Short mmCIF file of all heavy atoms in Angstrom, two decimals:
data_model
loop_
_atom_site.label_atom_id
_atom_site.label_comp_id
_atom_site.label_asym_id
_atom_site.label_seq_id
_atom_site.Cartn_x
_atom_site.Cartn_y
_atom_site.Cartn_z
N ILE A 1 0.81 -1.17 -0.02
CA ILE A 1 0.09 0.02 0.02
C ILE A 1 0.85 1.26 0.02
O ILE A 1 0.47 2.26 -0.52
CB ILE A 1 -0.90 0.02 1.22
CG1 ILE A 1 -2.02 1.09 1.08
CG2 ILE A 1 -0.25 0.18 2.53
CD1 ILE A 1 -2.87 1.01 -0.12
N GLU A 2 2.06 1.20 0.54
CA GLU A 2 3.05 2.32 0.48
C GLU A 2 3.31 2.75 -0.89
O GLU A 2 3.48 3.85 -1.24
CB GLU A 2 4.29 2.01 1.33
CG GLU A 2 5.22 0.90 0.83
CD GLU A 2 4.81 -0.50 1.18
OE1 GLU A 2 3.66 -0.62 1.88
OE2 GLU A 2 5.52 -1.38 0.89
N ASP A 3 3.41 1.71 -1.83
CA ASP A 3 3.65 2.07 -3.17
C ASP A 3 2.47 2.68 -3.84
O ASP A 3 2.61 3.58 -4.76
CB ASP A 3 3.97 0.73 -3.96
CG ASP A 3 5.34 0.09 -3.62
OD1 ASP A 3 6.29 0.81 -3.56
OD2 ASP A 3 5.40 -1.06 -3.38
N VAL A 4 1.23 2.33 -3.46
CA VAL A 4 0.10 2.98 -4.01
C VAL A 4 -0.03 4.43 -3.52
O VAL A 4 -0.15 5.34 -4.40
CB VAL A 4 -1.18 2.28 -3.51
CG1 VAL A 4 -2.48 2.99 -4.03
CG2 VAL A 4 -1.20 0.81 -3.99
N HIS A 5 0.33 4.66 -2.25
CA HIS A 5 0.46 6.04 -1.78
C HIS A 5 1.56 6.88 -2.60
O HIS A 5 1.32 8.03 -2.90
CB HIS A 5 0.72 6.14 -0.29
CG HIS A 5 -0.41 5.78 0.58
ND1 HIS A 5 -1.48 6.76 0.84
CD2 HIS A 5 -0.78 4.61 1.22
CE1 HIS A 5 -2.26 6.09 1.70
NE2 HIS A 5 -1.97 4.83 1.92
N LYS A 6 2.58 6.18 -2.73
CA LYS A 6 3.72 6.89 -3.45
C LYS A 6 3.37 7.28 -4.87
O LYS A 6 3.71 8.28 -5.39
CB LYS A 6 5.01 6.08 -3.45
CG LYS A 6 6.25 6.67 -3.87
CD LYS A 6 7.46 5.70 -3.87
CE LYS A 6 7.66 5.09 -2.49
NZ LYS A 6 8.84 4.28 -2.42
N ALA A 7 2.72 6.36 -5.51
CA ALA A 7 2.21 6.54 -6.80
C ALA A 7 1.31 7.62 -7.04
O ALA A 7 1.31 8.52 -7.86
CB ALA A 7 1.68 5.32 -7.41
N ILE A 8 0.27 7.72 -6.00
CA ILE A 8 -0.60 8.87 -6.04
C ILE A 8 0.10 10.29 -5.85
O ILE A 8 -0.21 11.16 -6.53
CB ILE A 8 -1.71 8.60 -4.99
CG1 ILE A 8 -2.64 7.39 -5.39
CG2 ILE A 8 -2.59 9.86 -4.79
CD1 ILE A 8 -3.53 6.84 -4.20
N GLU A 9 0.94 10.30 -4.93
CA GLU A 9 1.63 11.52 -4.54
C GLU A 9 2.47 11.98 -5.78
O GLU A 9 2.42 13.18 -6.13
CB GLU A 9 2.59 11.30 -3.40
CG GLU A 9 1.84 11.08 -2.08
CD GLU A 9 1.17 12.33 -1.55
OE1 GLU A 9 1.39 13.47 -2.07
OE2 GLU A 9 0.39 12.29 -0.60
N ARG A 10 3.13 11.02 -6.43
CA ARG A 10 4.08 11.43 -7.54
C ARG A 10 3.25 11.81 -8.76
O ARG A 10 3.57 12.84 -9.48
CB ARG A 10 5.00 10.26 -7.89
CG ARG A 10 6.07 10.00 -6.92
CD ARG A 10 7.18 9.13 -7.46
NE ARG A 10 8.13 8.82 -6.47
CZ ARG A 10 9.20 7.98 -6.71
NH1 ARG A 10 9.40 7.40 -7.81
NH2 ARG A 10 10.10 7.80 -5.69
N THR A 11 2.30 11.04 -9.06
CA THR A 11 1.45 11.49 -10.24
C THR A 11 0.69 12.81 -10.15
O THR A 11 0.51 13.52 -10.95
CB THR A 11 0.41 10.35 -10.62
OG1 THR A 11 -0.38 10.08 -9.53
CG2 THR A 11 1.15 9.09 -11.11
N THR A 12 0.33 13.06 -8.91
CA THR A 12 -0.32 14.36 -8.51
C THR A 12 0.71 15.49 -8.79
O THR A 12 0.22 16.62 -9.25
CB THR A 12 -0.68 14.52 -7.04
OG1 THR A 12 -1.65 13.40 -6.73
CG2 THR A 12 -1.36 15.77 -6.64
N ARG A 13 1.98 15.27 -8.65
CA ARG A 13 3.02 16.20 -8.94
C ARG A 13 3.36 16.28 -10.42
O ARG A 13 4.24 17.10 -10.78
CB ARG A 13 4.32 15.92 -8.15
CG ARG A 13 4.09 16.08 -6.62
CD ARG A 13 5.33 16.21 -5.90
NE ARG A 13 6.24 15.07 -6.16
CZ ARG A 13 6.40 14.16 -5.36
NH1 ARG A 13 5.65 13.98 -4.20
NH2 ARG A 13 7.18 13.11 -5.59
N GLY A 14 2.66 15.50 -11.27
CA GLY A 14 2.93 15.50 -12.64
C GLY A 14 4.10 14.50 -13.09
O GLY A 14 4.50 14.50 -14.19
N GLU A 15 4.47 13.64 -12.12
CA GLU A 15 5.44 12.70 -12.42
C GLU A 15 4.82 11.33 -12.80
O GLU A 15 3.66 11.17 -12.68
CB GLU A 15 6.36 12.45 -11.21
CG GLU A 15 7.04 13.71 -10.73
CD GLU A 15 7.79 13.49 -9.44
OE1 GLU A 15 8.09 12.43 -9.06
OE2 GLU A 15 8.15 14.44 -8.84
N ASN A 16 5.59 10.45 -13.23
CA ASN A 16 5.14 9.00 -13.59
C ASN A 16 5.60 8.10 -12.43
O ASN A 16 6.65 8.28 -11.72
CB ASN A 16 5.68 8.57 -14.88
CG ASN A 16 5.17 9.28 -16.04
OD1 ASN A 16 5.90 9.89 -16.76
ND2 ASN A 16 3.94 9.27 -16.32
N TYR A 17 4.91 7.02 -12.28
CA TYR A 17 5.24 5.95 -11.24
C TYR A 17 4.99 4.63 -11.79
O TYR A 17 3.84 4.33 -12.09
CB TYR A 17 4.66 6.23 -9.95
CG TYR A 17 5.20 5.23 -8.82
CD1 TYR A 17 6.29 5.64 -8.09
CD2 TYR A 17 4.64 4.04 -8.67
CE1 TYR A 17 6.87 4.82 -7.19
CE2 TYR A 17 5.16 3.17 -7.73
CZ TYR A 17 6.30 3.63 -7.01
OH TYR A 17 6.86 2.69 -6.03
N PHE A 18 5.98 3.88 -11.95
CA PHE A 18 5.78 2.32 -12.38
C PHE A 18 6.40 1.42 -11.41
O PHE A 18 7.48 1.65 -10.77
CB PHE A 18 6.54 2.19 -13.76
CG PHE A 18 5.99 3.08 -14.78
CD1 PHE A 18 6.65 4.25 -15.32
CD2 PHE A 18 4.71 2.89 -15.42
CE1 PHE A 18 6.16 5.08 -16.25
CE2 PHE A 18 4.23 3.69 -16.37
CZ PHE A 18 4.91 4.84 -16.86
N ASP A 19 5.58 0.38 -11.28
CA ASP A 19 6.04 -0.71 -10.29
C ASP A 19 7.32 -1.16 -10.57
O ASP A 19 7.73 -1.42 -11.71
CB ASP A 19 4.99 -1.86 -10.43
CG ASP A 19 5.09 -2.84 -9.26
OD1 ASP A 19 6.11 -3.36 -9.05
OD2 ASP A 19 4.08 -3.00 -8.58
N PRO A 20 8.32 -1.28 -9.57
CA PRO A 20 9.68 -1.70 -9.80
C PRO A 20 9.72 -3.00 -10.39
O PRO A 20 10.68 -3.30 -11.18
CB PRO A 20 10.17 -1.89 -8.30
CG PRO A 20 9.39 -0.84 -7.56
CD PRO A 20 7.95 -0.88 -8.11
N GLN A 21 8.75 -3.90 -10.34
CA GLN A 21 8.81 -5.22 -10.95
C GLN A 21 8.52 -5.17 -12.37
O GLN A 21 8.91 -6.15 -13.10
CB GLN A 21 7.54 -6.12 -10.34
CG GLN A 21 7.86 -6.47 -8.92
CD GLN A 21 6.83 -7.48 -8.42
OE1 GLN A 21 6.64 -8.54 -9.08
NE2 GLN A 21 6.13 -7.17 -7.38
N ILE A 22 8.01 -4.05 -12.91
CA ILE A 22 7.84 -4.06 -14.41
C ILE A 22 8.76 -2.87 -15.01
O ILE A 22 8.68 -2.76 -16.21
CB ILE A 22 6.38 -3.77 -14.86
CG1 ILE A 22 5.86 -2.42 -14.17
CG2 ILE A 22 5.57 -4.86 -14.36
CD1 ILE A 22 4.71 -1.94 -14.86
N THR A 23 9.55 -2.23 -14.32
CA THR A 23 10.50 -1.22 -14.79
C THR A 23 11.37 -1.73 -15.90
O THR A 23 11.54 -1.08 -16.95
CB THR A 23 11.27 -0.70 -13.71
OG1 THR A 23 10.51 -0.06 -12.72
CG2 THR A 23 12.19 0.45 -14.26
N GLU A 24 11.90 -2.97 -15.69
CA GLU A 24 12.80 -3.62 -16.74
C GLU A 24 12.02 -3.88 -17.99
O GLU A 24 12.53 -3.69 -19.13
CB GLU A 24 13.44 -4.88 -16.13
CG GLU A 24 14.48 -4.61 -15.11
CD GLU A 24 15.56 -3.64 -15.65
OE1 GLU A 24 16.08 -3.92 -16.76
OE2 GLU A 24 15.85 -2.66 -14.87
N ALA A 25 10.73 -4.29 -17.81
CA ALA A 25 9.89 -4.54 -18.98
C ALA A 25 9.72 -3.31 -19.82
O ALA A 25 9.71 -3.34 -21.08
CB ALA A 25 8.59 -5.29 -18.61
N ILE A 26 9.39 -2.21 -19.06
CA ILE A 26 9.16 -0.91 -19.77
C ILE A 26 10.49 -0.54 -20.53
O ILE A 26 10.40 0.08 -21.63
CB ILE A 26 8.79 0.10 -18.69
CG1 ILE A 26 7.38 -0.27 -18.15
CG2 ILE A 26 8.63 1.54 -19.34
CD1 ILE A 26 6.90 0.59 -17.06
N LYS A 27 11.60 -0.64 -19.85
CA LYS A 27 12.84 -0.29 -20.56
C LYS A 27 13.10 -1.06 -21.81
O LYS A 27 13.45 -0.54 -22.89
CB LYS A 27 14.00 -0.56 -19.55
CG LYS A 27 14.18 0.41 -18.35
CD LYS A 27 15.45 -0.04 -17.62
CE LYS A 27 15.52 1.01 -16.36
NZ LYS A 27 16.65 0.59 -15.48
N GLU A 28 12.68 -2.42 -21.81
CA GLU A 28 12.86 -3.23 -23.01
C GLU A 28 11.91 -2.67 -24.02
O GLU A 28 12.27 -2.67 -25.29
CB GLU A 28 12.54 -4.67 -22.67
CG GLU A 28 13.60 -5.44 -21.90
CD GLU A 28 13.30 -6.83 -21.60
OE1 GLU A 28 12.41 -7.39 -22.37
OE2 GLU A 28 13.74 -7.36 -20.61
N ILE A 29 10.70 -2.30 -23.68
CA ILE A 29 9.76 -1.86 -24.65
C ILE A 29 10.21 -0.53 -25.29
O ILE A 29 10.10 -0.32 -26.46
CB ILE A 29 8.39 -1.56 -24.01
CG1 ILE A 29 7.73 -2.83 -23.59
CG2 ILE A 29 7.44 -0.67 -24.93
CD1 ILE A 29 6.51 -2.78 -22.67
N ARG A 30 10.76 0.33 -24.46
CA ARG A 30 11.22 1.62 -24.95
C ARG A 30 12.48 1.58 -25.75
O ARG A 30 12.82 2.52 -26.48
CB ARG A 30 11.36 2.57 -23.73
CG ARG A 30 9.97 2.98 -23.22
CD ARG A 30 10.10 3.92 -21.99
NE ARG A 30 8.80 4.45 -21.73
CZ ARG A 30 8.51 5.13 -20.56
NH1 ARG A 30 9.46 5.28 -19.65
NH2 ARG A 30 7.35 5.51 -20.39
N LYS A 31 13.22 0.44 -25.70
CA LYS A 31 14.38 0.21 -26.45
C LYS A 31 14.09 0.33 -27.93
O LYS A 31 14.88 0.73 -28.78
CB LYS A 31 15.11 -1.05 -26.14
CG LYS A 31 15.95 -1.02 -24.92
CD LYS A 31 16.69 -2.43 -24.68
CE LYS A 31 17.49 -2.38 -23.47
NZ LYS A 31 18.09 -3.68 -23.19
N GLY A 32 12.83 -0.22 -28.30
CA GLY A 32 12.35 -0.22 -29.64
C GLY A 32 11.94 1.16 -30.13
O GLY A 32 11.74 1.31 -31.36
N ASP A 33 11.75 2.02 -29.27
CA ASP A 33 11.38 3.44 -29.59
C ASP A 33 12.55 4.31 -29.96
O ASP A 33 12.74 5.39 -29.41
CB ASP A 33 10.54 4.03 -28.53
CG ASP A 33 9.32 3.28 -28.17
OD1 ASP A 33 8.88 2.55 -29.05
OD2 ASP A 33 8.79 3.30 -27.09
N THR A 34 13.41 3.87 -30.72
CA THR A 34 14.69 4.60 -31.10
C THR A 34 14.46 5.38 -32.52
O THR A 34 13.58 4.96 -33.28
CB THR A 34 15.88 3.67 -31.16
OG1 THR A 34 15.64 2.71 -32.23
CG2 THR A 34 16.02 2.93 -29.88
N GLU A 35 15.31 6.18 -32.79
CA GLU A 35 15.28 6.92 -34.01
C GLU A 35 15.52 5.98 -35.20
O GLU A 35 15.15 6.29 -36.36
CB GLU A 35 16.30 8.07 -34.08
CG GLU A 35 15.89 9.20 -33.08
CD GLU A 35 16.75 10.36 -33.12
OE1 GLU A 35 17.83 10.26 -33.91
OE2 GLU A 35 16.70 11.32 -32.35
N ASP A 36 16.28 4.85 -34.96
CA ASP A 36 16.58 3.98 -36.06
C ASP A 36 15.39 3.07 -36.41
O ASP A 36 15.35 2.48 -37.51
CB ASP A 36 17.69 3.05 -35.57
CG ASP A 36 19.03 3.78 -35.36
OD1 ASP A 36 19.22 4.84 -36.02
OD2 ASP A 36 19.89 3.35 -34.53
N SER A 37 14.28 2.92 -35.54
CA SER A 37 13.16 2.22 -35.87
C SER A 37 12.37 2.78 -37.05
O SER A 37 12.07 4.01 -37.07
CB SER A 37 12.34 2.05 -34.66
OG SER A 37 11.15 1.35 -34.94
N PRO A 38 12.04 2.00 -38.03
CA PRO A 38 11.26 2.50 -39.23
C PRO A 38 9.88 2.88 -38.89
O PRO A 38 9.34 3.72 -39.56
CB PRO A 38 11.41 1.32 -40.24
CG PRO A 38 11.50 0.17 -39.39
CD PRO A 38 12.34 0.50 -38.13
N LEU A 39 9.31 2.35 -37.81
CA LEU A 39 7.95 2.61 -37.47
C LEU A 39 7.81 3.48 -36.19
O LEU A 39 8.54 3.38 -35.31
CB LEU A 39 7.19 1.26 -37.22
CG LEU A 39 7.20 0.23 -38.41
CD1 LEU A 39 6.44 -0.95 -38.02
CD2 LEU A 39 6.65 0.93 -39.71
N THR A 40 6.76 4.33 -36.23
CA THR A 40 6.46 5.03 -35.05
C THR A 40 5.78 4.31 -34.01
O THR A 40 5.41 3.11 -34.32
CB THR A 40 5.57 6.27 -35.36
OG1 THR A 40 4.22 5.66 -35.83
CG2 THR A 40 6.06 7.09 -36.49
N LEU A 41 5.55 4.71 -32.72
CA LEU A 41 4.94 3.96 -31.70
C LEU A 41 3.51 3.55 -32.12
O LEU A 41 3.08 2.51 -31.96
CB LEU A 41 4.89 4.81 -30.40
CG LEU A 41 4.15 4.16 -29.24
CD1 LEU A 41 4.94 2.92 -28.85
CD2 LEU A 41 4.10 5.17 -28.04
N ARG A 42 2.81 4.57 -32.73
CA ARG A 42 1.39 4.25 -33.12
C ARG A 42 1.38 3.27 -34.22
O ARG A 42 0.50 2.39 -34.33
CB ARG A 42 0.76 5.60 -33.60
CG ARG A 42 -0.69 5.48 -34.20
CD ARG A 42 -1.68 4.64 -33.39
NE ARG A 42 -1.84 5.12 -32.10
CZ ARG A 42 -2.81 5.84 -31.86
NH1 ARG A 42 -3.67 6.40 -32.72
NH2 ARG A 42 -3.07 6.20 -30.53
N GLU A 43 2.34 3.38 -35.17
CA GLU A 43 2.42 2.35 -36.25
C GLU A 43 2.68 0.97 -35.72
O GLU A 43 2.08 -0.07 -36.23
CB GLU A 43 3.44 2.74 -37.26
CG GLU A 43 3.06 3.87 -38.16
CD GLU A 43 4.17 4.43 -39.06
OE1 GLU A 43 5.38 4.10 -38.71
OE2 GLU A 43 3.93 5.31 -39.84
N ARG A 44 3.56 0.82 -34.74
CA ARG A 44 3.87 -0.46 -34.16
C ARG A 44 2.61 -1.09 -33.47
O ARG A 44 2.26 -2.17 -33.44
CB ARG A 44 5.07 -0.46 -33.22
CG ARG A 44 6.38 -0.16 -33.97
CD ARG A 44 7.57 -0.47 -32.99
NE ARG A 44 7.62 0.48 -31.97
CZ ARG A 44 8.31 1.66 -32.14
NH1 ARG A 44 8.73 2.09 -33.33
NH2 ARG A 44 8.36 2.47 -31.15
N GLU A 45 1.86 -0.15 -32.83
CA GLU A 45 0.63 -0.57 -32.15
C GLU A 45 -0.34 -1.08 -33.11
O GLU A 45 -0.94 -2.05 -32.93
CB GLU A 45 0.00 0.71 -31.44
CG GLU A 45 -1.17 0.37 -30.54
CD GLU A 45 -1.76 1.64 -29.95
OE1 GLU A 45 -1.42 2.77 -30.37
OE2 GLU A 45 -2.53 1.50 -28.91
N ILE A 46 -0.44 -0.45 -34.23
CA ILE A 46 -1.40 -0.94 -35.32
C ILE A 46 -0.95 -2.22 -35.93
O ILE A 46 -1.66 -3.11 -36.28
CB ILE A 46 -1.54 0.24 -36.39
CG1 ILE A 46 -2.40 1.43 -35.92
CG2 ILE A 46 -2.28 -0.35 -37.69
CD1 ILE A 46 -2.50 2.60 -36.75
#
């Protein structure tokens, strides 16, 4: 519950908060969002 409180406080300040357990997964996802990628994020979603 302390993480829930922390997430609420941070997002209220305009920050993002992601569970530590999925931070690495998010990093892997964002590795694909490079300038070298031929597709945009929306195109990859489609």
Side-chain angles (χ1 to χ4, degrees):
I1 192 61
E2 66 275 5
D3 289 314
V4 178
H5 282 283
K6 194 181 297 182
I8 292 170
E9 292 287 349
R10 288 193 183 178
T11 53
T12 299
R13 296 197 301 264
E15 302 173 16
N16 295 117
Y17 188 87
F18 298 104
D19 194 300
Q21 292 188 54
I22 64 167
T23 299
E24 288 305 312
I26 292 173
K27 286 180 180 178
E28 286 181 22
I29 291 169
R30 286 177 172 169
K31 279 181 184 177
D33 300 336
T34 63
E35 293 182 1
D36 295 332
S37 176
L39 303 180
T40 65
L41 180 61
R42 174 48 62 90
E43 286 170 346
R44 289 195 292 278
E45 183 179 23
I46 289 174

